[in-house]
Amino acid sequence: MPSATDQTAHQQAVDEEAGSHVSTEDQIVEDMVPRLPIEVLCQVVNYVEFFSSAQRDLWALTLVSRSWYAVAVASLYKKPDISGKNFGLFVRTLCPSINAHIRKTGFSSMVKELNMSKLVHDSSKSLTSRILGRLKDGLETFVAPQASFAVNCLAALSKCQHLRELDLSYVSESLGLLQLLRSVNKLSRLEKLSIRCKLDYPADRAPSNVFWPPKLKALQLSACINDNDFVIFSTIPKSLISLTLHHCPGLNGESIKTILMDFGDVLESFQFEPRTSDSLTYIDLAHWIEYAPRLRRLFIPASSHSIRTGYDFPMSLRYSAQNPHPLEHLELDCTYLDRYGSELDYEDIWLAIAEGYLSRVRRLGFRHQVTVQPWRTNRRELQDLDDLLRALAREDGENANIKEDEAGVLRHAAIMGADL
């Protein structure tokens, strides 16, 4: 009977022989595949990335040969399409062990964008934390899942120093604003932040030591903010150019005007969507933009007197037909008007664009309730506006920010603004 040493040597010889056969077969297949310059392979991979089927196509390319695998594997893992069906396999590939110090794979550093918004109960909070820990060296964009992200994930999130975009708007568990900012304010490369949070400090006293990421450019915030909380905005860096406030019932028109007075000189995009319109104090559009000289995109609730023309301008307004505001994209939420059977004065809007202080507007949108169809009841007025915007865009030439085929009146089917 052979000894254990002999059995081991025999097994090694069998393994080496099998490996040589596999290597030979692979070499035969490799030789059968036409050899293309590496530059051509890279061009093909870059072209495939733009299609909706990129995930499947890139996976197929990695199976062609070693050369195709070497070129396509980084693109395959760069922006994985994660769903409940493939999440388990994705986790086993990137996190094969609970122990973070063993069996590390090279795939984790390839992941640049991770969108887990399609996951509901497929993951767990501890697993999300593990994934963030594995991807911290290369992750640049992260969209958190709804149910499997919580406070215990913030420690791992704070170590993702390459993050540029962070979206926590899908998270169902309320996160405290101060606790959240303590975790992300050291992310020196973070430029876009979307959060839905609660205020974890006394209702009558907002802290002044709130620090935001230093290079923040776009902020989307949903919270129960009121006039007492304005101090938390005082530390937002002046690099901010886009501000979106969703479902903030404590804010009204006067509150928004105060915010614009503080940040209006740097903002290029502003969007305000209140949760309810009952307590909203409406302000003329002229007042909204008076404190925002660089604003190019604006979305606000509308009243029947949102846009005024001619001699109704306030004397303090600095804009006119000779000195128009740079606003290019304007959207008005008309759901409050729909509720009470009112409507905008489209003639005033036409005059403000054709001859007034909105002469640089090229895109115009109106959001209505599902039951309201303005393109049926006011087709002529809206068509005149659409023709005017397209004609102005055509006069702007090829160097314009908004081309003729992008200009006009946007059609929105419902309150959420889905384009028809």
Side-chain angles (χ1 to χ4, degrees), residues 373 375 411-413 418-420:
Q373 301 292 334
W375 277 92
R411 300 190 181 191
H412 294 290
D419 285 336
L420 290 175

Side-chain angles (χ1 to χ4, degrees), residues 43-60:
Q43 289 291 337
V44 173
V45 170
N46 293 336
Y47 177 76
V48 169
E49 287 182 351
F50 287 98
F51 291 90
S52 58
S53 59
Q55 188 84 13
R56 181 191 62 195
D57 296 339
L58 289 171
W59 172 74

Side-chain angles (χ1 to χ4, degrees), residues 332 334 343-347 349-350 353 364-368 372-390 408-412:
L332 300 174
C334 305
E343 63 180 29
L344 291 169
D345 190 331
Y346 295 105
E347 183 178 355
I349 299 176
W350 194 94
I353 297 175
L364 189 62
F366 305 100
R367 299 191 182 186
H368 293 271
V372 178
Q373 301 292 334
W375 277 92
R376 294 181 180 178
T377 58
N378 303 95
R379 173 175 291 274
R380 181 177 179 181
E381 292 88 343
L382 291 174
Q383 189 61 55
D384 290 343
L385 277 172
D386 188 75
D387 294 340
L388 172 64
L389 295 172
R390 293 182 184 276
V409 178
L410 306 177
R411 300 190 181 191
H412 294 290

Side-chain angles (χ1 to χ4, degrees), residues 14 43 89 103 129 139 201 236 264 311 353 380:
V14 172
Q43 289 291 337
L89 183 59
R103 295 190 63 186
S129 181
L139 193 62
Y201 52 80
I236 294 181
Y311 298 101
I353 297 175
R380 181 177 179 181

Side-chain angles (χ1 to χ4, degrees), residues 73-211:
V73 66
S75 298
L76 175 64
Y77 282 92
K78 178 181 178 181
K79 187 179 179 181
D81 185 9
I82 304 298
S83 63
K85 294 181 179 180
N86 62 2
F87 180 68
L89 183 59
F90 175 78
V91 172
R92 289 195 296 271
T93 303
L94 266 67
C95 306
S97 172
I98 297 179
N99 192 333
H101 299 288
I102 65 174
R103 295 190 63 186
K104 287 187 176 181
T105 65
F107 301 123
S108 58
S109 61
M110 299 179 183
V111 180
K112 304 300 180 183
E113 301 181 28
L114 182 62
N115 188 341
M116 300 178 66
S117 61
K118 297 180 182 179
L119 304 179
V120 182
H121 300 292
D122 304 282
S123 181
S124 64
K125 298 170 184 177
S126 59
L127 182 56
T128 301
S129 181
R130 280 180 55 203
I131 294 174
L132 289 174
R134 285 300 177 97
L135 305 184
K136 62 183 179 181
D137 294 331
L139 193 62
E140 298 179 359
T141 300
F142 177 61
V143 182
Q146 178 182 358
S148 53
F149 188 92
V151 176
N152 57 333
C153 300
L154 294 179
L157 183 65
S158 64
K159 298 177 182 178
C160 299
Q161 293 297 318
H162 297 278
L163 266 183
R164 296 181 181 275
E165 297 184 17
L166 176 60
D167 188 349
L168 303 180
S169 59
Y170 294 95
V171 179
S172 58
E173 181 171 325
S174 295
L175 302 172
L177 179 62
L178 295 183
Q179 190 175 32
L180 175 62
L181 291 181
R182 290 191 188 104
S183 300
V184 302
N185 61 8
K186 298 296 179 62
L187 299 180
S188 59
R189 301 186 182 183
L190 190 64
E191 297 179 351
K192 185 177 181 180
L193 177 62
S194 301
I195 54 177
R196 184 168 62 88
C197 58
K198 63 181 179 181
L199 304 182
D200 50 350
Y201 52 80
D204 59 341
R205 182 172 55 85
S208 57
N209 58 343
V210 178
F211 298 103

Side-chain angles (χ1 to χ4, degrees), residues 203-418:
D204 59 341
R205 182 172 55 85
S208 57
N209 58 343
V210 178
F211 298 103
W212 300 80
K215 294 184 179 179
L216 192 63
K217 292 183 178 180
L219 173 62
Q220 178 178 316
L221 178 64
S222 177
C224 295
I225 300 174
N226 53 48
D227 294 344
N228 297 325
D229 305 310
F230 280 168
V231 67
I232 68 174
F233 291 99
S234 61
T235 56
I236 294 181
K238 289 299 183 179
S239 58
L240 188 74
I241 60 175
S242 176
L243 177 61
T244 302
L245 300 175
H246 281 300
H247 308 312
C248 300
L251 296 181
N252 55 30
E254 293 298 329
S255 305
I256 296 301
K257 191 163 72 171
T258 302
I259 295 176
L260 289 178
M261 290 176 65
D262 294 335
F263 297 98
D265 57 337
V266 296
L267 283 181
E268 297 180 6
S269 174
F270 181 72
Q271 184 170 348
F272 177 47
E273 296 187 51
R275 176 178 298 178
T276 175
S277 301
D278 294 336
S279 59
L280 186 63
T281 302
Y282 287 94
I283 299 178
D284 294 337
L285 177 63
H287 289 285
W288 285 88
I289 67 176
E290 183 176 3
Y291 304 103
R294 299 178 59 186
L295 204 61
R296 296 185 179 275
R297 183 183 182 277
L298 178 64
F299 173 71
I300 54 172
S303 68
S304 58
H305 301 289
S306 287
I307 298 179
R308 300 192 294 175
T309 58
Y311 298 101
D312 291 332
F313 284 162
M315 295 302 295
S316 61
L317 186 64
R318 70 187 76 171
Y319 305 106
S320 63
Q322 293 73 30
N323 181 31
H325 190 276
L327 188 67
E328 297 177 336
H329 185 151
L330 172 64
E331 293 195 44
L332 300 174
D333 186 351
C334 305
T335 54
Y336 179 80
L337 299 179
D338 299 338
R339 185 184 307 176
Y340 294 98
S342 302
E343 63 180 29
L344 291 169
D345 190 331
Y346 295 105
E347 183 178 355
D348 274 357
I349 299 176
W350 194 94
L351 290 173
I353 297 175
E355 305 173 0
Y357 67 108
L358 296 181
S359 60
R360 292 186 182 177
V361 171
R362 298 297 179 265
R363 301 186 73 186
L364 189 62
F366 305 100
R367 299 191 182 186
H368 293 271
Q369 293 182 353
V370 180
T371 56
V372 178
Q373 301 292 334
W375 277 92
R376 294 181 180 178
T377 58
N378 303 95
R379 173 175 291 274
R380 181 177 179 181
E381 292 88 343
L382 291 174
Q383 189 61 55
D384 290 343
L385 277 172
D386 188 75
D387 294 340
L388 172 64
L389 295 172
R390 293 182 184 276
L392 292 174
R394 185 163 56 251
E395 294 177 2
D396 294 338
E398 294 296 329
N399 296 327
N401 294 328
I402 299 180
K403 304 297 188 294
E404 181 182 356
D405 57 344
E406 300 173 341
V409 178
L410 306 177
R411 300 190 181 191
H412 294 290
I415 187 173
M416 295 306 293

